[in-house]
Amino acid sequence: WSSTGADTVILEEGSQVTFQAAPTDAGGRRLAGDLTTEMTVEPEWAVVPGVGVVEAWEDGIWTVGGEVNFYFIDPGLVTFTVTDPVSGASGEQVFDVQPVDRG
């Protein structure tokens, strides 16, 4: 796993991204409480959601609900926008998805 805060993240098709929203104050200090966000992706067809598997055994799996991780399936620019519906605060991250290097 690697964290990033770049304006545009360059990665290869097939890469996975996971988002975790955490409320902070203006100084970047973590605030107490939970944050429920809404996420949009443009273009939607460029990614597929992953499944947050917590545990797997022979009779089934235990997963985490909600779409928080995604796989990039097509090259091009992909923009994720995360919004707090209560305050209206939002942020976005742009990814420049490169074709798989078969060389």
Side-chain angles (χ1 to χ4, degrees), residues 51-64:
V51 175
V53 176
V54 176
E55 185 177 351
W57 62 96
E58 64 185 49
D59 292 330
I61 61 173
W62 173 29
T63 63
V64 175

Side-chain angles (χ1 to χ4, degrees), residues 2-62:
S2 59
S3 298
T4 185
D7 291 334
T8 299
V9 177
I10 299 173
L11 46 75
E12 190 173 77
E13 180 181 8
S15 296
Q16 179 184 21
V17 64
T18 300
F19 294 93
Q20 181 174 0
T24 59
D25 66 12
R29 292 178 297 269
R30 178 75 159 88
L31 299 173
D34 293 326
L35 179 66
T36 301
T37 59
E38 297 172 350
M39 184 176 309
T40 59
V41 183
E42 183 61 39
E44 290 181 15
W45 51 261
V47 299
V48 294
V51 175
V53 176
V54 176
E55 185 177 351
W57 62 96
E58 64 185 49
D59 292 330
I61 61 173
W62 173 29

